[in-house]
Amino acid sequence: NLDSLKNIYDFGIRTLSLTWNEENKFATGIKGNEENGLKSMGINLIKECESLGIIIDVSHANDNTFYDIYNHSTKPIIATHSNVRKLCNSKRNLKDEQIKLIKETNGIVGINSYISFINENKDKCDLYHLVNHIDYIVDLIGIDNICFGFDYCDYLNESNIDKTVNLEDASKTQNIIYDLYRRGYKKNDIDKISYKNFLRFISKNIKK
């Protein structure tokens, strides 16, 4: 019910996904019918979000929904937690063209630490191969449109869930900083990736 959107805004919500992995009345997620994309209600939702100052998140959207969101948006968009599809062929990850389009909107891509989106080879689902996604995006679009978008699942508290090696939970986050230094990133670049880019993005796009 779009009439409820203002109430959600008043509660402090400033970023919104049109769908999770499923297909609903607004849009189609990665497990929905891949022929479908954004629905007419989704187009209206985008307009309402933009009028209020709510940022549209394209993570979890299928490819058609992504491109439809891009074509119907007039404001920057964000992929809060998605990696590079060329490095890990998951539908949850972004194609090179999609990453470039996000930059074109002055949006931002959040790197995802979840194990399933790092590498198709289970033996390579570790911190090193995750940072490869950062290198790839920086080489593709520069360093100003990337941030951390960790998808830690500590809250599940289940020992049988595989975790990213050397980045198993939030307590290991500093490891990614160390790895960026080892790869030759300077402090200002690391500050951009770890927090400055995102702070700049929200300060420009989120109404208080």
Side-chain angles (χ1 to χ4, degrees), residues 4 13 17 35 43 47 50 67 75-76 85 99 105 113 120 138 141 152 155 161 180 190 202:
S4 301
I13 301 301
S17 298
E35 301 296 321
I43 296 172
K47 292 177 181 177
E50 290 190 339
Y67 291 115
K75 303 286 180 67
R85 197 175 300 185
I99 296 169
T105 73
S113 64
E120 293 163 76
V138 170
I141 62 170
Y152 293 128
Y155 60 89
I161 295 179
L180 288 169
I190 294 173
I202 62 173

Coordinates of all heavy atoms in Angstrom, one line a residue, residues 4 13 17 35 43 47 50 67 75-76 85 99 105 113 120 138 141 152 155 161 180 190 202:
S4 N 1.2 3.8 2.8 CA 2.0 3.6 4.0 C 3.4 4.0 3.9 O 4.1 4.0 4.9 CB 2.0 2.1 4.3 OG 0.7 1.6 4.5
I13 N 13.2 5.2 7.8 CA 13.7 4.3 6.6 C 14.1 5.3 5.5 O 13.4 6.1 5.0 CB 12.6 3.4 6.2 CG1 12.2 2.4 7.3 CG2 13.2 2.5 5.0 CD1 13.3 1.6 7.9
S17 N 14.5 -1.7 -0.7 CA 14.5 -2.6 -1.8 C 13.1 -2.9 -2.3 O 12.2 -3.1 -1.4 CB 15.2 -3.9 -1.4 OG 16.5 -3.7 -1.0
E35 N 12.0 -13.5 -16.9 CA 11.4 -12.7 -18.0 C 10.8 -11.4 -17.5 O 10.5 -10.5 -18.2 CB 10.4 -13.5 -18.8 CG 11.0 -14.8 -19.4 CD 12.0 -14.5 -20.5 OE1 11.8 -13.5 -21.2 OE2 13.0 -15.2 -20.6
I43 N 7.0 1.1 -10.4 CA 7.3 2.4 -11.0 C 6.7 3.5 -10.1 O 7.4 4.5 -9.9 CB 6.7 2.5 -12.4 CG1 7.4 1.5 -13.4 CG2 6.9 3.9 -13.0 CD1 6.8 1.3 -14.7
K47 N 8.8 6.5 -7.8 CA 8.4 8.0 -7.9 C 8.1 8.5 -6.5 O 8.6 9.6 -6.1 CB 7.2 8.2 -8.8 CG 7.5 7.9 -10.2 CD 6.2 8.1 -11.1 CE 6.4 7.8 -12.5 NZ 5.2 8.0 -13.3
E50 N 11.4 8.7 -4.5 CA 12.3 9.8 -4.9 C 11.7 11.1 -4.4 O 12.4 12.0 -4.0 CB 12.4 9.8 -6.4 CG 13.3 8.6 -6.9 CD 13.7 8.8 -8.4 OE1 13.0 9.5 -9.1 OE2 14.6 8.1 -8.8
Y67 N 17.6 -3.1 -14.7 CA 17.6 -2.1 -15.8 C 16.3 -1.3 -15.8 O 16.4 -0.1 -16.2 CB 17.7 -2.9 -17.1 CG 19.1 -3.5 -17.3 CD1 19.3 -4.9 -17.3 CD2 20.2 -2.7 -17.4 CE1 20.6 -5.4 -17.5 CE2 21.5 -3.2 -17.5 CZ 21.7 -4.6 -17.6 OH 22.9 -5.1 -17.7
K75 N 17.2 9.6 -9.6 CA 18.1 9.9 -8.5 C 19.1 8.8 -8.5 O 19.0 7.7 -9.1 CB 17.3 9.9 -7.2 CG 16.2 10.9 -7.1 CD 16.8 12.3 -6.9 CE 15.6 13.4 -6.9 NZ 14.9 13.3 -5.6
P76 N 20.2 9.0 -7.7 CA 21.2 7.9 -7.6 C 20.6 6.6 -7.0 O 19.7 6.7 -6.2 CB 22.3 8.5 -6.6 CG 22.1 10.0 -6.8 CD 20.7 10.2 -7.1
R85 N 29.9 -10.1 -10.9 CA 29.5 -11.3 -11.5 C 30.6 -12.0 -12.3 O 30.6 -13.2 -12.4 CB 28.2 -11.1 -12.4 CG 27.5 -12.4 -12.7 CD 26.2 -12.2 -13.4 NE 25.3 -11.4 -12.7 CZ 24.0 -11.1 -13.2 NH1 23.6 -11.7 -14.3 NH2 23.2 -10.3 -12.5
I99 N 27.5 -2.2 -13.0 CA 28.3 -1.4 -12.1 C 28.6 0.0 -12.7 O 28.5 1.0 -12.0 CB 29.7 -2.2 -11.9 CG1 29.4 -3.5 -11.1 CG2 30.7 -1.3 -11.1 CD1 30.6 -4.4 -11.1
T105 N 24.7 7.1 -12.3 CA 23.7 7.7 -11.5 C 24.3 8.5 -10.3 O 23.5 9.0 -9.5 CB 22.6 6.7 -11.0 OG1 23.2 5.9 -10.0 CG2 22.1 5.9 -12.1
S113 N 30.4 -9.5 1.9 CA 31.3 -10.5 2.5 C 30.7 -11.9 2.5 O 31.4 -12.8 2.9 CB 31.6 -10.1 3.9 OG 30.5 -10.1 4.7
E120 N 33.0 -19.2 -7.1 CA 32.3 -20.4 -7.3 C 33.1 -21.6 -6.8 O 32.5 -22.7 -6.5 CB 32.0 -20.6 -8.8 CG 31.0 -19.5 -9.3 CD 31.1 -19.4 -10.8 OE1 30.5 -20.3 -11.5 OE2 31.7 -18.5 -11.4
V138 N 37.3 -1.1 -8.5 CA 38.2 0.2 -8.6 C 38.8 0.3 -9.9 O 38.8 1.4 -10.5 CB 39.3 0.1 -7.5 CG1 40.3 1.2 -7.7 CG2 38.7 0.2 -6.1
I141 N 35.6 1.4 -12.4 CA 34.9 2.6 -12.3 C 35.6 3.7 -11.4 O 35.0 4.8 -11.1 CB 33.4 2.5 -11.8 CG1 33.4 1.8 -10.4 CG2 32.6 1.6 -12.8 CD1 32.0 1.8 -9.7
Y152 N 27.1 -9.9 7.0 CA 27.4 -10.8 8.0 C 26.1 -11.5 8.5 O 25.1 -10.8 8.6 CB 28.1 -10.2 9.2 CG 29.5 -9.6 9.0 CD1 29.8 -8.3 9.2 CD2 30.4 -10.5 8.4 CE1 31.1 -7.8 9.0 CE2 31.7 -10.0 8.2 CZ 32.0 -8.7 8.5 OH 33.3 -8.2 8.2
Y155 N 23.9 -13.1 13.3 CA 22.6 -13.2 14.0 C 22.0 -14.6 13.9 O 21.1 -15.0 14.7 CB 21.6 -12.2 13.5 CG 21.3 -12.3 12.1 CD1 20.2 -13.1 11.6 CD2 22.1 -11.6 11.1 CE1 19.9 -13.2 10.3 CE2 21.8 -11.7 9.8 CZ 20.7 -12.5 9.4 OH 20.4 -12.6 8.0
I161 N 26.8 -23.1 9.2 CA 26.8 -22.2 8.1 C 28.3 -21.9 7.7 O 29.0 -21.5 8.6 CB 26.0 -20.9 8.4 CG1 24.6 -21.3 8.6 CG2 26.2 -19.9 7.2 CD1 23.7 -20.1 8.9
L180 N 44.0 -4.5 2.3 CA 44.0 -3.4 1.4 C 45.4 -2.7 1.5 O 46.0 -2.3 0.5 CB 42.9 -2.4 1.7 CG 41.5 -2.9 1.2 CD1 40.4 -2.0 1.8 CD2 41.3 -3.0 -0.3
I190 N 41.8 3.8 1.4 CA 41.1 2.9 2.3 C 40.0 3.6 3.1 O 38.9 3.0 3.3 CB 42.1 2.2 3.2 CG1 43.1 1.4 2.4 CG2 41.4 1.4 4.3 CD1 44.3 0.8 3.2
I202 N 25.4 9.4 1.4 CA 24.2 9.6 2.2 C 24.0 11.1 2.5 O 22.8 11.5 2.6 CB 24.1 8.7 3.5 CG1 25.3 9.1 4.4 CG2 24.1 7.3 3.1 CD1 25.1 8.4 5.8

